Amino acid sequence: MSEPRVAIITGAASGIGRALAVHYAGQGVRSIIGTFASDPHDPEETLKLVRNAGGDAVIHEVDVRSAASVDSFAQRAVDEYGRLDYAIANAGILRNSSLTEMTDARWTDMLDVDLTGVLRTLRAGAERMTAGGAMVAVSSIAGAVYGWEGHTHYAAAKAGVLGLIRSIAVELGPQGIRANAVIPGLIETPQSLDPVNSLGPDGLVRAGTDIPFGRVGTPAEVASVIAFLTSADAGYVTGQSLVVDGGLTVKMRA
Ligand code: NAD
């Protein structure tokens, strides 16, 4: 029997990252649960869900704004389990700021997490992976398809992720390492439930009525797609970006 696979997941104390750790647990993939110090969500809850699903994981604090922090996070996989197979750049922030209020500091802070943080995570993963390794970065329909007022920095970062993924795929393909992105639509998580920077609870319900599926998505519905993209079932897929949105972005509005 082959050794269990090992994944690093940034931002796994909540939302899509937590759902992915739980999904992986069901598949026998071990996770390093990335938790961010100032996040109010409890990574122990992710760990509990992983164990309930019969899986194995460890919690490790990581700040994707620091290369040293991300490197030690990725190294934890090697130290704890002796290998790293999957790197998931999931951590992200969302802030609301109009263009005229978009200071350089706001712009830079956003890109540091949502774009450079992805680079740091995938780079640290690449340094520790061998053939058969796979990476997934989490983009957004706001970076791939839609414009969103008040979110130019977020949109630019999430669009940047897609260019980054294509080039990483080409660069690491010869080593047998794959890189893909998911592009979530509206998914009910702490990020989207924030009424200041995103739609909030009421906004999500309203938005759901305009989605062909009649509702917003769940974190698990994105997690399973990420897991597919890292799995051997997607073994010849690299450099791609997959929209997970219940039909939101393909719906024609008359
Ligand atoms: P979430 O807020 O639950 O998850 C984001 C995670 O990122 C949190 O756990 C947070 O602690 C972590 N994080 C923030 N700053 C960090 C830092 N500096 N270092 C390390 N971790 C940090 O929300 P989510 O929706 O699950 O977000 C996951 C990803 O999905 C994000 O990249 C987000 O932009 C993206 N996304 C979400 C939606 C949606 O509708 N929820 C849509 C498109 C894309």
Side-chain angles (χ1 to χ4, degrees):
M1 217 173 80
S2 61
E3 276 280 297
R5 308 264 178 213
V6 179
I8 51 169
I9 310 170
T10 59
S14 59
I16 294 167
R18 170 179 286 174
L20 179 60
V22 176
H23 187 99
Y24 271 155
Q27 297 184 324
V29 177
R30 295 163 159 170
S31 294
I32 312 298
I33 297 167
T35 181
F36 181 50
S38 58
D39 189 308
H41 299 95
D42 186 1
E44 292 291 344
E45 179 59 25
T46 304
L47 187 58
K48 199 171 88 188
L49 293 169
V50 162
R51 289 188 175 145
N52 288 348
D56 185 14
V58 290
I59 295 168
H60 194 100
E61 201 172 296
V62 60
D63 181 348
V64 299
R65 296 170 298 181
S66 154
S69 172
V70 176
D71 286 342
S72 96
F73 176 59
Q75 186 58 33
R76 179 73 187 274
V78 179
D79 295 346
E80 189 76 28
Y81 296 123
R83 59 189 292 154
L84 176 61
D85 300 281
Y86 308 143
I88 313 301
N90 166 72
I93 54 170
L94 180 65
R95 301 280 183 264
N96 201 337
S97 175
S98 69
L99 184 59
T100 50
E101 289 170 343
M102 183 65 69
T103 59
D104 285 8
R106 283 183 175 180
W107 178 269
T108 307
D109 289 351
M110 170 64 69
L111 266 67
D112 199 17
V113 178
D114 282 24
L115 181 55
T116 317
V118 172
L119 165 76
R120 294 184 186 108
T121 305
L122 303 187
R123 180 179 62 200
E127 284 165 353
R128 293 164 178 83
M129 270 179 200
T130 53
M135 310 173 167
V136 174
V138 181
S139 176
S140 166
I141 53 169
V145 184
Y146 277 160
W148 192 8
E149 74 275 10
H151 293 87
T152 49
H153 48 356
Y154 180 76
K158 293 297 189 182
V161 164
L162 301 178
L164 181 73
I165 279 295
R166 284 192 290 268
S167 291
I168 288 181
V170 171
E171 190 168 327
L172 300 186
Q175 297 172 39
I177 296 172
R178 300 180 299 104
N180 293 289
V182 286
I183 302 174
L186 292 171
I187 311 299
E188 188 172 324
T189 69
Q191 179 175 292
S192 59
L193 286 166
D194 173 355
V196 175
N197 295 299
S198 189
L199 300 186
D202 295 344
L204 283 181
V205 171
R206 271 197 307 277
T209 62
D210 197 36
I211 295 172
F213 274 23
R215 60 171 178 83
V216 299
T218 66
E221 287 169 328
V222 181
S224 59
V225 175
I226 297 173
F228 162 70
L229 287 171
T230 54
S231 76
D233 286 343
Y236 200 55
V237 179
T238 197
Q240 300 305 306
S241 307
L242 192 47
V243 178
V244 186
D245 73 347
L248 171 64
T249 55
V250 292
K251 181 178 172 184
M252 188 179 84
R253 284 162 184 84

